[in-house]
Amino acid sequence: AQSVTQLDSHVSVSEGTPVLLRCNYSSSYSPSLFWYVQHPNKGLQLLLKYTSAATLVKGINGFEAEFKKSETSFHLTKPSAHMSDAAEYFCVVRGRSSASKIIFGSGTRLSIRP
Amino acid sequence: KAGVTQTPRYLIKTRGQQVTLSCSPISGHRSVSWYQQTPGQGLQFLFEYFSETQRNKGNFPGRFSGRQFSNSRSEMNVSTLELGDSALYLCASSLEQGLSGNTIYFGEGSWLTVV
């Protein structure tokens, strides 16, 4: 069975400061992990994905995430927040078998203070 | 390359009616999945289709159904609509189903309001 937990429902940071959005996962097998962003009234856009290659994954818009198997974590980071980063972020896990479902985290709303 | 296209974008229905939503995947993608997004329940998986066959199903009542056509386009249908079915319905497509590193691309969604 798989599950994903986003540890913070809301994160607020000042523009120009680092961003950390936390995600822990549970999976019986080595999973694929994704981060998606959703701006208001929009669909989901892929930020980055982990698929058992490099553990540090770089995505779009300066975001990156590190897969830590020992901690079962896949936290999303960005060195310097921009006002346009304000959105909802979803951590997603999917197993490797054809029968595996796609599991979404509950989402983290990121607010950016001027 | 066109993205995932969902129609209609917005619709209002009355309780008891039925609704059909359409999704055109990215060209070449054979897997289509559907999700319901509500403020209270977040994003929930409805079902996934691959090669015209339902491969996975979430925990939704039988009122929610779907199908996939030979050109990979998909429709989902909700019968006997309830107020709680008001939600954003998202469609996503991917090249194959369940393979490692298979990126899922989402459409903009269909906003359904049930009154």
Side-chain angles (χ1 to χ4, degrees):
Chain A
Q2 298 165 109
S3 66
V4 59
T5 303
Q6 291 185 243
L7 299 164
D8 308 293
S9 60
H10 182 213
V11 170
S12 180
V13 302
S14 297
E15 189 174 21
T17 64
V19 174
L20 170 64
L21 305 183
R22 298 182 294 166
C23 172
N24 284 359
Y25 70 92
S26 172
S27 178
S28 304
Y29 305 96
S30 183
S32 292
L33 292 158
F34 307 81
W35 275 100
Y36 285 85
V37 61
Q38 185 178 34
H39 288 93
N41 302 317
K42 295 287 189 181
L44 276 72
Q45 181 185 16
L46 177 70
L47 278 176
L48 48 81
K49 66 178 181 182
Y50 166 78
T51 58
S52 78
T55 55
L56 182 62
V57 182
K58 294 189 184 298
I60 62 171
N61 300 335
F63 285 95
E64 61 182 40
E66 186 171 8
F67 174 73
K68 292 187 177 180
K69 188 175 181 178
S70 60
E71 299 175 11
T72 61
S73 69
F74 190 57
H75 301 334
L76 182 70
T77 60
K78 182 173 180 177
S80 177
H82 191 272
M83 294 301 292
S84 60
D85 295 329
E88 187 91 15
Y89 291 79
F90 293 94
C91 183
V92 179
V93 64
R94 181 171 192 170
R96 301 303 177 90
S97 75
S98 59
S100 64
K101 295 181 182 178
I102 301 161
I103 309 296
F104 284 85
S106 54
T108 298
R109 183 164 61 89
L110 176 63
S111 299
I112 312 295
R113 300 187 300 271
Chain B
K1 203 175 193 182
V4 178
T5 305
Q6 291 188 244
T7 57
R9 290 294 319 281
Y10 304 92
L11 67 166
I12 301 173
K13 290 286 188 177
T14 305
R15 266 188 309 175
Q17 287 187 314
Q18 66 91 27
V19 66
T20 299
L21 308 177
S22 180
C23 173
S24 293
I26 291 172
S27 178
H29 285 194
R30 297 197 295 161
S31 175
V32 173
S33 50
W34 289 89
Y35 307 83
Q36 182 195 63
Q37 186 176 27
T38 60
Q41 300 297 319
L43 268 160
Q44 293 186 286
F45 170 76
L46 279 157
F47 27 66
E48 179 176 19
Y49 286 86
F50 181 77
S51 294
E52 302 178 64
T53 303
Q54 188 180 89
R55 300 302 178 104
N56 270 313
K57 191 176 188 303
N59 298 322
F60 279 81
R63 300 185 297 107
F64 291 81
S65 63
R67 58 178 177 168
Q68 187 181 32
F69 302 94
S70 58
N71 61 359
S72 294
R73 192 177 68 84
S74 177
E75 289 181 347
M76 70 161 280
N77 184 277
V78 187
S79 63
T80 321
L81 283 165
E82 301 176 359
L83 295 178
D85 297 332
S86 295
L88 174 65
Y89 289 88
L90 289 165
C91 171
S93 75
S94 56
L95 272 171
E96 301 288 344
Q97 179 220 1
L99 292 183
S100 170
N102 204 9
T103 299
I104 309 153
Y105 296 91
F106 286 83
E108 298 268 297
S110 292
W111 287 94
L112 170 65
T113 301
V114 182
V115 298

